[in-house]
Amino acid sequence: MASQVRPAPNLAQSPQPRQMPPQPPVAGQQFPPHPPQPGMQVPPPQMQGSPYPPQPGQQPGQQYLPQQYSTQQQGQQYPPQQLGQQYPPQQQGQQYPPQQQGQQYPPQQQGQQSLPQQFSPQAQEQHDQGDHAHHARRRLYPQQMAAAYSAPPPAAVPSAQPGQGGYIVPGATDGITQQMGNMSLGQETYMQPEQTEVLSGRPDLTDLDTAVPEVRLPPGTACVGASACDERVQRVTLGAIPRTDRLLRKTRLPLGLMITPMASEAPEARDIVRCRRCRSYLNPYVTFVDGGRRWLCNLCGLRNDVLLSMDYDKEANMQIDRWQRADLRSAVVEYVAPVEYMVRPPMAPSVVFVVDVSHAAVQSGAAAAASRAARDALQQMGDADGRAQVGVIAVDSSLHFFCIRAGAESQQLVVGDCDETEAWLPAPNDLLVNLRECYAEVDTVLENLPTSGRGGVGCVLGAAIRAAQKMLTTGGRIVTVVASPPTGTAARVDPAATELNSWYKTMAADFARAQIAVDTVFVGSHLGEASVACLARYTGGSVLQYSELVGPETGRAVAEIAHMVSVPVSMESVLRVRASRGLRVSSYYGSFFLRSMDLLALPAAPPAHSFAAEIAIDEPLPPVVFFQSALLHTTAQGERRIRVATLAVPTTDSPHTVFSAIDSRAVATLLAKKAADRVLTARVADAREALMHKTLEIFGAFKTECTKAASGAATQLQSPRSLRMLPLLTLATLRHPALRASSTERPGERTADIAHVLSLPPELLLATLVPRMFSLHDLPPEAGLPDPATGQVVLPPRRGLSAEELSPRGMFLIHGGSDVILWVGRDADRALVHSLLGTTEVRSGIIALPDLSQESGFELNKRVNNIMRQISAMCYQVWAPLIMVCPEDGAPHVRVKLAQRLVEDMDPSAPSYTQLLAQMRDKINRGNF
C-alpha cells in the first residue's frame, strides 16, 4: 500500500536547540546507550539508505545513523519512562524544544526550502491476511521532514495492468495530495470577490434550472471510464465535506444525503462482490492491490481477495475483462439477488381497496371517484405474469366483503359485528382473487361499489384495515378512501381532539412487519387525517387529500389515485445506508419504518419517494469519503433485486472550500424536511423559527469565517455564490402550506402537504416551493415545441415571482407542480385568449385545459399543452394539475391563491424577499439570532 505524506506541524516559532557533537557508538553497544538527559540532543532516526557504520567517502562531520533507531524487545517502550513521567522532561510552562521570541526551528538558510505549516504524522497502515489492521507510528525529525518533501517521487513499479484505473502506482497520489492541499489554504482570511455575491434586489430564478453542482474529485479516485452517481438517485448537501466535526460545527451547515433509489434506470451487474468486513458492494472507487489479486474496500479499508468470477466466466468457459463489469463502470447498478437474500418466495403484487360508502362518502362523490379510479388503475397496471391479486372491502357502519369467482356472479357478505382487535373474515377463500382470471367480475364489483352500502352514518375504518391485513397473508398494499371520521372503539377519531390516536401508529408498525403498505386518500376535511396518515407515514405509502370533488376536480382525483395505484413500486424493501469510517447517519426523514439506525423497512417504495439522511462526523476523515445505499426489493415481475448507488465526495480543512461547494437546493430540501418533521411533534411556529434560525446561522458563520467584515457590521448581506438562492428557498418554505402561519389552513390539507414535503425528491419539492412562471403573450418561437436534438419540449424562460412582472396586456402561466394558475390581464389580446382556451370569455374558477392541438387556429393551446405535459413528465406524473383561471379583476379567493404563489412579494405569513434580506443582514450584524 502506497504511503501518503501529510502536512507538517507548525514549527515556525521553534528555535534551534543546543547542538551536541555526535558521539560514535562503541562496538557492541546499543544505540543510544541510555535515555538522554535534559539538554542532550537525541540523534534522529535513520533515513532510508543512510549507511552505518560510516562508509568510505563520507565527509567529516556528516551525520551517520545506525541501521535501526533502537533495538527493542516486544512490548518495550523507548525511551524507558516511569509511570506518569513525560519525555522529554519539561518544567511547567516550558516548551520543547526551548524557543526564543522570533526564532525559527529548524533554522533555515537563505534559499533553503521551508516546511509546510501543518504536519500530522500519518499512521502507516499495514494489512495482513486477516481482517484487522495494524498501525505503527514513526517519529519524524525536521531533517527527515525536509528530505521527505524535497525527495523526488519513487518510480512506478510494474502492476498487473499498468496505467489501468484502480491500481496503486507509487507516486500516483502526488497529484491528489497537491490538489487536496490546494483546497486547504490556511493563509486565506476571506473568500475571493469572484466567489462571493452581494444579495440585493430580486433573485435570478434561472439558477434553479441549472445543473446540480458537480462534485470535483481528485484524479484517479474512480476507475477509468466509470460514470459518477446520478444526482437524481443520490446527492449530498456539501460538495466538499469538512474533515472534522469541529469545522462542520463552525460552518453551521447541514451535512445530509438525499436518496431516491428508483429515480432512474440502472445497468445490471453479473454477480455480487462484497467486502468481508463492512459488507459494502464492489463499486468504481475500490482499489486493486497486490498485482490485481486483491481489492481494497473504499469504505473500511480491508483487503479482499479477488474472486475467480471477476476474471473468468465459468458458463462460457472463457476469460473476461474485469474492467467491463457494470459495478466498476457505473456508480448505480442493480443485481439479481440469489436465494441467499430471500427468506421466502417473492410476494405477488396484491392490493385491497377499502372504500368508504357511508352517506357522507356517497354525497361527496368520494365513493364514485374511488370506483372510477380503481377501475382505471387495474386497467393500467398490467399483469404480464398473471400473479396480481385484488380484493375489495366497502365500509360504512358495517363491513361489506365481496366473494368473487371466475364466471359467476359475485356475492356480497355483510359483517355487522366490527372489532378492531380481531377481525373476522366471512369466507376463507375468494376474497382476494387473481386479477387475470377474475378481471370482469372485479370490474363489475367496482362499478357497483357506490351503491353497495346501506347509506348509514359512520366508517369503521379500523376493522376494515384489520380485515384487509388478514386477507394479505404474504403482504401487499391497502388503498383506503375516507370521506367521514373513523368510528368504532379503539380506532375512533375525534376530529376536534388535538391528540393523535396511537392505535393507528401501532397498526402501522404491525403492517411494516407484515410487508403491507397503506395509501390513504381523504375527501373532505376534519376526518382525523393526522392520526390516520400514520398508516402511510410508517409503511412507505402516499397521502392524497381533496377538499371537495366538484366538476373538473373529480377527474383530477381519479387520475391521481389511478396513477398512485398503477405505478410500479418496489415491494418488501429494505434500505441500508453505509458511509466511510468516521461518518455516521444520525437521523432519517421520509416515509418508512426505522428498523435500526442504518436499516429502513419499506413495504412499498414508489419511484417518486425520496429519503433524507443527516450525517454526523465522529472522527477526522480521509481526503475522500464515500456513501453507499443499497435497496433490496421485489419487482412487480417477482424478481428479488438489489439497487446499489455509491457516491464519492472530497473532504477539506478550509471553510472557504466548504462554502464554495454547497448544493443550495439539497440544503433547502433537507431543511424543509426537518421543519416538516418538526411540525409533527411541535407547533408550526417552532418549526418556522428553527428553519429561519438555521438559515441565519449559516450566513452568520460565512460572515465570520470568510469575509473581511468578520466582527463588524456590514451594510449589505454577503453570500457565497453557491448559497445565493438559499434565502429565497427558505422564504418559499415558510410560505408552503405545510409551514404557513395561518389559521385558515385546514388540518387535512396541512397533513397531506407535510407528507409531500417528507417524501418528495428535491426536484419535485422545489417545483412546489418555487413555481415556474411563463409569459404566454410573448413566447419565444421555439418554446412549447420539441427540440430537434433531444426531442424534449423547450420550456419558456422563467419570470420573476412578483406582481411587478404582471402586465395588463399579458397572459401568464404559473405552474406549481400540483396546481396551475392562469393570470389574464384586463387588456389581454382576445384573439390570444381564444387561441388558448377556445373562447374569449374569461371567468374565475377551475378548468381543465382543452386539447385543441388537432384543430387549426389554436397554436398557443398546442404549445401550452406541450409545456404542461413536459413539466408533468419532469414531476414523475405524480400530479394531474388543473388550471385555476385568475382574471386581473377576478374573485378574491382566486387572487389570494395567486398572491400565495408569488413568493417574492409580501404575504401575511412571511415578508417579501427584499425585506427578508434586510432582516437577515440586521440580525447577523447584531448577532441576534
Side-chain angles (χ1 to χ4, degrees):
M1 179 176 179
S3 62
Q4 297 179 359
V5 180
R6 295 201 176 184
N10 189 357
L11 306 176
Q13 302 300 325
S14 301
Q16 182 181 8
R18 289 176 294 174
Q19 297 291 334
M20 301 291 294
Q23 301 295 329
V26 181
Q29 180 181 0
Q30 292 185 354
F31 181 83
H34 53 76
Q37 302 299 324
M40 175 180 178
Q41 183 188 11
V42 180
Q46 176 193 9
M47 292 294 294
Q48 184 175 1
S50 177
Y52 179 80
Q55 301 297 319
Q58 186 172 356
Q59 299 297 329
Q62 183 176 351
Q63 190 176 15
Y64 56 89
L65 299 173
Q67 294 293 338
Q68 283 189 336
Y69 173 66
S70 64
T71 57
Q72 303 178 21
Q73 299 179 1
Q74 186 174 3
Q76 180 180 357
Q77 185 180 11
Y78 184 81
Q81 301 179 19
Q82 299 180 3
L83 183 64
Q85 180 181 358
Q86 187 179 13
Y87 180 77
Q90 302 179 20
Q91 299 179 5
Q92 186 174 6
Q94 179 182 357
Q95 280 188 334
Y96 184 80
Q99 302 179 12
Q100 299 178 8
Q101 186 174 6
Q103 185 176 0
Q104 275 193 339
Y105 180 78
Q108 299 181 13
Q109 300 177 3
Q110 186 175 2
Q112 184 178 354
Q113 183 180 4
S114 61
L115 299 177
Q117 292 189 359
Q118 295 180 353
F119 181 80
S120 57
Q122 181 187 11
Q124 297 183 351
E125 187 175 4
Q126 301 177 349
H127 295 277
D128 59 355
Q129 300 296 331
D131 292 348
H132 301 283
H134 301 279
H135 300 273
R137 289 189 178 274
R138 184 180 182 189
R139 185 173 179 181
L140 297 181
Y141 281 74
Q143 295 85 346
Q144 291 177 285
M145 298 179 192
Y149 275 88
S150 59
V157 298
S159 58
Q161 295 185 15
Q164 184 68 268
Y167 285 90
I168 286 186
V169 178
T173 58
D174 296 342
I176 302 177
T177 305
Q178 181 180 0
Q179 180 171 346
M180 301 309 296
N182 293 338
M183 297 175 63
S184 308
L185 300 178
Q187 295 86 353
E188 291 179 325
T189 57
Y190 58 88
M191 294 185 69
Q192 299 301 322
E194 62 271 11
Q195 297 176 313
T196 63
E197 186 170 320
V198 175
L199 298 183
S200 61
R202 296 174 53 188
D204 184 8
L205 298 184
T206 57
D207 289 346
L208 298 176
D209 295 329
T210 57
V212 176
E214 180 184 1
V215 177
R216 308 182 67 177
L217 296 172
T221 303
C223 297
V224 175
S227 61
C229 184
D230 190 345
E231 65 273 3
R232 295 175 299 172
V233 176
Q234 205 162 261
R235 61 195 289 188
V236 70
T237 57
L238 306 180
I241 296 177
R243 194 162 294 170
T244 61
D245 179 64
R246 179 181 179 183
L247 179 58
L248 180 63
R249 287 186 282 106
K250 183 184 294 186
T251 60
R252 305 293 183 178
L253 289 166
L255 177 57
L257 190 67
M258 307 294 118
I259 308 170
T260 312
M262 307 303 294
S264 65
E265 298 293 332
E268 183 176 328
R270 290 181 51 250
D271 54 333
I272 298 176
V273 180
R274 304 182 68 177
C275 175
R276 289 184 291 112
R277 177 193 289 164
C278 67
R279 305 303 296 163
S280 62
Y281 294 82
L282 189 70
N283 59 82
Y285 306 105
V286 302
T287 304
F288 290 91
V289 295
D290 297 340
R293 295 187 299 272
R294 293 178 179 86
W295 60 275
L296 191 67
C297 177
N298 55 309
L299 270 75
C300 70
L302 180 69
R303 294 192 178 194
N304 298 269
D305 293 333
V306 172
L307 301 180
L308 179 63
S309 59
M310 296 182 63
D311 297 314
Y312 188 79
D313 189 353
K314 292 183 179 180
E315 298 180 358
N317 194 20
M318 60 179 296
Q319 190 173 1
I320 58 177
D321 184 7
R322 73 172 62 172
W323 299 109
Q324 299 305 317
R325 290 179 58 95
D327 45 10
L328 289 180
R329 300 188 64 86
S330 176
V332 182
V333 295
E334 192 166 65
Y335 299 95
V336 177
V339 293
E340 292 81 6
Y341 291 80
M342 306 179 190
V343 296
R344 61 176 184 177
M347 59 180 291
S350 306
V351 58
V352 175
F353 295 96
V354 178
V355 181
D356 186 357
V357 293
S358 63
H359 178 74
V362 174
Q363 292 297 319
S364 63
S371 172
R372 289 177 50 192
R375 296 176 65 189
D376 293 348
L378 296 183
Q379 187 176 5
Q380 299 170 12
M381 278 178 62
D383 186 17
D385 54 357
R387 300 171 60 249
Q389 295 177 323
V390 182
V392 182
I393 301 177
V395 187
D396 49 16
S397 56
S398 305
L399 297 181
H400 304 263
F401 297 89
F402 297 90
C403 189
I404 305 173
R405 297 183 179 90
E409 185 177 356
S410 302
Q411 183 181 4
Q412 181 175 346
L413 306 176
V414 181
V415 178
D417 186 11
C418 303
D419 185 9
E420 296 96 341
T421 59
E422 189 65 30
W424 178 71
L425 298 181
N429 301 315
D430 301 329
L431 297 180
L432 188 68
V433 299
N434 186 273
L435 176 60
R436 177 179 294 182
E437 297 175 358
C438 305
Y439 180 82
E441 290 75 14
V442 172
D443 187 72
T444 302
V445 169
L446 293 174
E447 184 179 5
N448 299 327
L449 191 62
T451 60
S452 60
R454 300 177 178 178
V457 178
C459 175
V460 286
L461 180 64
I465 61 176
R466 178 72 78 175
Q469 179 188 15
K470 282 199 167 186
M471 294 169 59
L472 297 170
T473 56
T474 60
R477 301 175 66 186
I478 301 176
V479 180
T480 63
V481 181
V482 183
S484 55
T487 57
T489 54
R492 179 183 179 85
V493 176
D494 184 5
T498 57
E499 297 183 358
L500 303 182
N501 189 340
S502 60
W503 183 87
Y504 290 94
K505 187 174 182 179
T506 304
M507 281 297 301
D510 295 341
F511 287 162
R513 284 189 287 267
Q515 300 298 337
I516 297 175
V518 182
D519 301 308
T520 56
V521 181
F522 301 102
V523 180
S525 58
H526 302 286
L527 305 176
E529 295 91 345
S531 297
V532 180
C534 291
L535 296 172
R537 186 180 311 129
Y538 296 106
T539 62
S542 303
V543 179
L544 299 178
Q545 202 278 340
Y546 306 96
S547 300
E548 57 181 359
L549 299 179
V550 178
E553 294 185 356
T554 303
R556 172 193 178 185
V558 169
E560 292 181 351
I561 297 174
H563 178 269
M564 178 187 68
V565 177
S566 62
V567 66
V569 300
S570 301
M571 300 172 292
E572 51 181 350
S573 311
V574 288
L575 177 67
R576 189 182 296 273
V577 179
R578 296 179 176 88
S580 295
R581 186 183 305 170
L583 295 174
R584 172 178 51 86
V585 179
S586 58
S587 56
Y588 293 90
Y589 303 96
S591 298
F592 54 84
F593 182 78
L594 187 62
R595 189 174 296 178
S596 63
M597 278 312 297
D598 64 341
L599 188 65
L600 308 182
L602 307 169
H609 273 209
S610 180
F611 311 94
E614 194 167 15
I615 310 297
I617 301 177
D618 292 336
E619 59 185 62
L621 303 177
V624 181
V625 294
F626 305 91
F627 302 94
Q628 188 178 88
S629 63
L631 179 73
L632 175 63
H633 64 101
T634 300
T635 65
Q637 292 74 28
E639 287 185 328
R640 198 75 171 144
R641 288 178 169 264
I642 307 173
R643 178 70 65 92
V644 179
T646 309
L647 178 66
V649 187
T651 62
T652 178
D653 288 325
S654 171
H656 317 97
T657 306
V658 175
F659 276 104
S660 63
I662 298 174
D663 185 353
S664 61
R665 286 167 281 183
V667 170
T669 301
L670 179 60
L671 295 182
K673 290 180 182 293
K674 293 182 63 175
D677 185 76
R678 186 162 184 172
V679 173
L680 299 174
T681 57
R683 300 182 306 165
V684 177
D686 296 337
R688 291 171 56 89
E689 182 180 357
L691 174 61
M692 196 64 222
H693 179 77
K694 187 62 177 178
T695 305
L696 290 171
E697 277 189 338
I698 294 173
F699 281 90
F702 172 75
K703 175 178 179 291
T704 303
E705 300 294 333
C706 303
T707 62
K708 295 181 179 180
S711 58
T715 58
Q716 292 177 313
L717 181 63
Q718 282 190 325
S719 166
R721 296 184 62 86
S722 59
L723 273 182
R724 56 187 171 187
M725 298 305 297
L726 185 60
L728 176 68
L729 296 175
T730 300
L731 179 61
T733 305
L734 294 174
R735 298 178 60 155
H736 192 271
L739 296 171
R740 186 180 296 137
S742 174
S743 58
T744 60
E745 292 296 322
R746 299 178 181 179
E749 294 179 352
R750 192 184 293 275
T751 299
D753 291 328
I754 291 174
H756 289 162
V757 173
L758 289 175
S759 62
L760 289 179
E763 55 270 19
L764 268 69
L765 182 57
L766 294 180
T768 61
L769 293 178
V770 185
R772 293 178 172 89
M773 186 164 81
F774 311 125
S775 58
L776 303 182
H777 57 279
D778 56 354
L779 282 178
E782 69 279 1
L785 299 176
D787 187 356
T790 62
Q792 296 185 351
V793 175
V794 178
L795 298 180
R798 276 181 180 256
R799 302 294 293 267
L801 289 172
S802 173
E804 298 178 3
E805 295 284 341
L806 306 177
S807 61
R809 297 180 178 273
M811 295 173 58
F812 295 86
L813 186 74
I814 305 171
H815 200 300
S818 59
D819 58 89
V820 180
I821 299 177
L822 175 63
W823 190 88
V824 183
R826 66 169 64 95
D827 298 330
D829 187 357
R830 294 298 138 177
L832 202 62
V833 174
H834 182 269
S835 177
L836 175 63
L837 303 177
T839 178
T840 58
E841 187 177 3
V842 180
R843 293 182 180 179
S844 301
I846 298 176
I847 65 170
L849 184 65
D851 188 358
L852 307 175
S853 57
Q854 301 300 326
E855 303 181 19
S856 60
F858 297 96
E859 179 66 20
L860 183 59
N861 179 275
K862 174 184 176 181
R863 297 168 70 181
V864 172
N865 272 295
N866 290 342
I867 292 172
M868 294 188 62
R869 280 191 287 266
Q870 177 65 24
I871 297 178
S872 277
M874 295 166 58
C875 296
Y876 300 94
Q877 307 287 345
V878 173
W879 302 294
L882 300 172
I883 291 184
M884 178 179 291
V885 180
C886 178
E888 187 175 357
D889 52 355
H893 71 279
V894 179
R895 287 184 290 172
V896 169
K897 185 70 174 179
L898 171 67
Q900 293 174 352
R901 306 305 285 161
L902 300 178
V903 296
E904 296 182 33
D905 294 341
M906 187 174 61
D907 183 80
S909 62
S912 66
Y913 177 74
T914 55
Q915 291 174 340
L916 177 69
L917 296 182
Q919 294 175 7
M920 291 177 59
R921 179 201 60 201
D922 295 341
K923 291 182 178 180
I924 291 174
N925 286 337
R926 297 194 304 265
N928 182 21
F929 54 86

